[in-house]
Amino acid sequence: MTRQRLLALVFACLSGLLTLSIVLFACISTGVIPLGTTNTHATPGMMTPSPTPEPTPIPPSVLTVVGGAPPIDAKAAYLLDTDTGNVLDDQNAEQPLPMASTTKIMTALVVIEAANLKQEVTVSPDIPQYVFQHNGSNAKLVPGDTLTINDLLYALMLPSGDDAAIVLARAVAGSSDAFVGMMNCFALRHHLFQTHFINPDGLTYYDANGKPLPGHYSSARDLARLTAYALSNPLFAKIVGTRQYDLAWSPKHGAYHWTNTNDLFNLYPATTGVKTGFTNEAGYCLVFSATRDHHHLVGTVLFSSDTDTNQRFRDAKTLLEWGFGLPMLPAY
């Protein structure tokens, strides 16, 4: 072999090694060949096996509606599984209707989120007259007594005190009208588009001709979804789950004993709340919640009856027993 051919052969080999090095560097830098993953034991001509695919996750099981909901007497009803957001029952639930003292769910929530719960408030002299004028329920607050906002929340929610609603509204916003503005803003912010308030207690106001003033309404759906949100607040959940509340005498106020008007506690032991309501226009209403087997349901019945105070509790029990009895099936 001549010297020239030998030099040409060496030059060709060096060029080939340089080209291979450039290709390998490009592959490594672009991630085609990750560093440290070269299989030095692979048999030439054989493909490296692919990694074992991850198993397909099994969807969680949830309460699943099978068939129709049981018949009830209420004009509107809604049942919500708050663990999943699944709607279990919807009977005329988007229709705006009078909702009476279930209004106080919003009243309590706005107070809890906006006020200093340790603030002391004195009951003004006109409060008993307001309740009498509108034929409202009351916590028997005594003018001149000074109570904390925290205590007044129990007066609002357990005996459904319309007197407590006005005292709280004035304390938080300066006037009842200003407080109602806060309630309506809260409703819009939470997309409760079938809800509007004209007072903080749910009483029917009448015009000079004795006709109910319009503008105070909600829907079964809005009330249930508002309540599901409210129950995420520990204080709200504690108050609406309290059967009775005793406030001992002090130099600032007399002794008070308030009992929860929600008889669903007695009819259905899994009950955890929430609020009753009644006016002639709204009939007997109830927003309710219950927990069983680690499931949480919230529901509403509006105008269960205009004569039988207990029908709303029977309607709620019927819906809860049906809802908790639904099968647990995978959620697809």
Side-chain angles (χ1 to χ4, degrees):
M1 182 179 293
T2 65
R3 178 182 178 84
Q4 290 82 358
R5 291 182 64 188
L6 180 61
L7 289 173
L9 181 59
V10 170
F11 181 79
C13 290
L14 290 174
S15 298
L17 289 173
L18 180 60
T19 301
L20 180 60
S21 299
I22 293 172
V23 172
L24 287 172
F25 178 81
C27 289
I28 290 171
S29 64
T30 57
V32 175
I33 301 178
L35 283 173
T37 61
T38 304
N39 184 1
T40 59
H41 302 288
T43 304
M46 293 185 63
M47 296 180 62
T48 303
S50 301
T52 304
E54 293 290 331
T56 302
I58 299 174
S61 294
V62 299
L63 294 172
T64 304
V65 176
V66 176
I72 57 173
D73 287 349
K75 183 179 292 187
Y78 194 77
L79 187 65
L80 176 68
D81 178 355
T82 60
D83 298 316
T84 63
N86 287 349
V87 178
L88 305 182
D89 185 31
D90 181 332
Q91 302 183 42
N92 200 30
E94 282 72 42
Q95 180 182 357
L97 293 168
M99 67 294 202
S101 282
T102 61
T103 295
K104 296 183 175 89
I105 295 169
M106 179 66 89
T107 304
L109 188 57
V110 171
V111 170
I112 290 171
E113 295 199 352
N116 174 7
L117 301 180
K118 295 181 180 179
Q119 177 185 342
E120 293 184 334
V121 183
T122 300
V123 180
S124 58
D126 65 318
I127 293 297
Q129 177 58 32
Y130 169 84
V131 175
F132 176 79
Q133 177 185 349
H134 295 284
N135 193 31
S137 56
N138 65 83
K140 295 181 170 57
L141 298 179
V142 176
D145 275 6
T146 299
L147 299 87
T148 65
I149 284 181
N150 184 80
D151 289 331
L152 286 167
L153 284 167
Y154 286 91
L156 174 78
M157 298 302 283
L158 271 64
S160 196
D162 298 322
D163 46 1
I166 300 301
V167 171
L168 285 166
R170 292 175 179 176
V172 173
S175 70
S176 181
D177 288 344
F179 186 84
V180 169
M182 296 172 65
M183 296 169 72
N184 286 321
C185 285
F186 193 99
L188 288 175
R189 190 166 79 242
H190 287 268
H191 301 154
L192 306 177
F193 298 128
Q194 288 95 34
T195 297
H196 189 266
F197 304 97
I198 63 172
N199 61 50
D201 47 49
L203 291 171
T204 303
Y205 288 1
Y206 298 92
D207 63 20
N209 297 318
K211 293 183 178 180
L213 293 178
H216 197 90
Y217 54 82
S218 189
S219 66
R221 176 191 180 278
D222 277 5
L223 285 169
R225 292 189 174 272
L226 171 66
T227 301
Y229 171 83
L231 286 169
S232 66
N233 183 290
L235 177 59
F236 181 91
K238 178 183 177 182
I239 292 171
V240 298
T242 300
R243 304 288 191 94
Q244 62 181 29
Y245 188 81
D246 291 295
L247 190 60
W249 179 93
S250 84
K252 295 182 178 181
H253 57 73
Y256 289 95
H257 172 79
W258 297 312
T259 300
N260 202 318
T261 60
N262 186 1
D263 287 343
L264 189 61
F265 282 111
N266 301 320
L267 189 63
Y268 194 75
T271 299
T272 56
V274 174
K275 188 68 192 75
T276 59
F278 172 78
T279 62
N280 291 330
E281 292 72 26
Y284 287 101
C285 305
L286 179 67
V287 180
F288 54 92
S289 64
T291 298
R292 198 175 88 183
D293 299 330
H294 306 292
H295 298 299
H296 303 82
L297 301 184
V298 169
T300 308
V301 287
L302 296 179
F303 209 108
S304 278
S305 171
D306 59 352
T307 58
D308 184 356
T309 183
N310 292 316
Q311 184 57 50
R312 53 186 164 176
F313 305 122
R314 292 192 291 268
D315 281 349
K317 179 182 178 182
T318 296
L319 289 176
L320 288 171
E321 288 183 335
W322 170 77
F324 283 123
L326 290 171
M328 295 288 294
L329 299 176
Y332 292 101

